[in-house]
Amino acid sequence: MTTRVDVLLGAQWGDEGKGKVVDVITPGYSVIARFQGGPNAGHTLIFDGKKHVLHTIPSGIFREGVMNLVGNGVVIDPVIFLREVDALAKAGVDVRDRLLIGRRAHLILPTHRALDAASEADQGKEKIGSTLKGIGPTYMDKTGRNGFRIGDLERADMKDRYQVLVRKHERLLGLYNEAFDWKQHEAEWLDALERLKTYRFVDSEHWLDEQLNAGKKVLAEGAQGTLLDIDFGTYPFVTSSNTISAGACTGLGVAPSRIGRVIGIFKAYCTRVGSGPFPTELLEETGEQIRQAGREFGSTTGRPRRCGWLDLPALKYAVMINGVSELAMMKADVLSGMETIRVCTHYRVNGQLTDRLPYDITGTVEPVYTTVPGWGELSVNEALPNGLEAYIRTIEAATRVPVKLVSLGPDRAETLMREAAAATL
Ligand code: GDP
Ligand code: IMO
Ligand code: MG
């Protein structure tokens, strides 16, 4: 009996609440596998009154009896990885027993971080607003066939390979005006590398194949969100990996025919951190109100997140690109108490109404809204109020996908499983 891999991913611009949902549904799985991104991600989990933020390690790590895999599509900074390991040890979790790392995953070098910083500084106002974790330069070396991989740590010539790459990076850094002193981070990075080597490396595509053939249930955990995808996001204001469901195939070595459910996570509104177009952005008081109520500050960088109304053309696009089979709606509680709520149903592009996300949304699309009644305080012990139920049905009708999970607060316990009303689909 072979099973399929379910995929959970962000349907907006990241920070939708993926970490929380993975943690909530992990008891139904034997394996949680991250398939792309790296320490640019910040996945927050809250339970038993404690908050944990994960960057590289999959969000199933707190559940006993579950194996967590860092797949080949992920990029790893050993220093950040070990900080996470140490924080987890303090929280009573021994990562060593529960974590495997794919040999094909690439490593982020201190020089990759310097190149990220140099490129951002060089672009000035045009900068991507990256997390400065070295993500772009590391994926550039991967596709440029120069990368340094986990499997290289087992080779005798590892140090030489590292040096060759560093020399290339030094030449590249020389092209920029500003100097970045990456050397000061090298000793810590090399020490972390030695510790990283003591973790369990696997040929993860074979390991996953065995798990699936043995009937084990696997959940692939995405990072970032669909609109940050390197191919289908708001390019160039995107990250450097495929954040979409197809990324789970390439980032884990799983065939498309083996993908099962695709769970799309979205907020009841929208946020974005970093530069780039955001049609429904609220630049006035309401945006600030949502930022404060939703504590919309980056889990990785602490930057304030830009806030705006729910964007249905963008959500429908995410449903299409990913083949989303069910949706999870997060942070409905943040909008509690608003008399009315606006939802963008269409864009006006060159005077024409459309519900499609066009090639370029920079300043060329005008969101068209519908206004719906709001709702009051929410509780997991009570039925959803009519206003929220109607809001969800509007989303289900537009996307033709059921909203099966509704999150009413950041804690693991503040979660409702919902039976979709079949008539709306
Ligand atoms: P991720 O990157 O998709 O895992 O999301 P982040 O952890 O970066 O950001 C989501 C933030 O919202 C975190 O601070 C969560 O604790 C919080 N959160 C998640 N779900 C809810 C919810 O339903 N309500 C509220 N108020 N906060 C939530
Ligand atoms: P999680 O997994 C939100 C954004 C950055 C920047 C752009 C490129 O927590 O949802 P990068 O460092 O990847 O080169 O930055 O992507 N970004 C995220 N925004 N959530 C994330 O991850 C993000 N990871 C990167 O702000 O705009
Ligand atoms: Mg996040």
Side-chain angles (χ1 to χ4, degrees), residues 394-422:
T394 302
I395 297 163
E396 289 183 330
T399 57
R400 307 195 64 79
V401 175
V403 175
K404 290 207 173 166
L405 183 152
V406 184
S407 175
L408 308 179
D411 194 278
R412 190 189 259 180
E414 294 170 300
T415 315
L416 268 181
M417 297 300 172
R418 179 175 170 277
E419 278 305 314

Side-chain angles (χ1 to χ4, degrees), residues 13-15 18 40-43 129-131 223-224 238-239 273-274 303:
W13 277 282
D15 300 330
K18 299 174 290 294
N40 48 350
H43 294 179
S130 93
T131 58
Q224 291 81 55
V238 293
T239 190
V273 59
R303 291 179 293 178

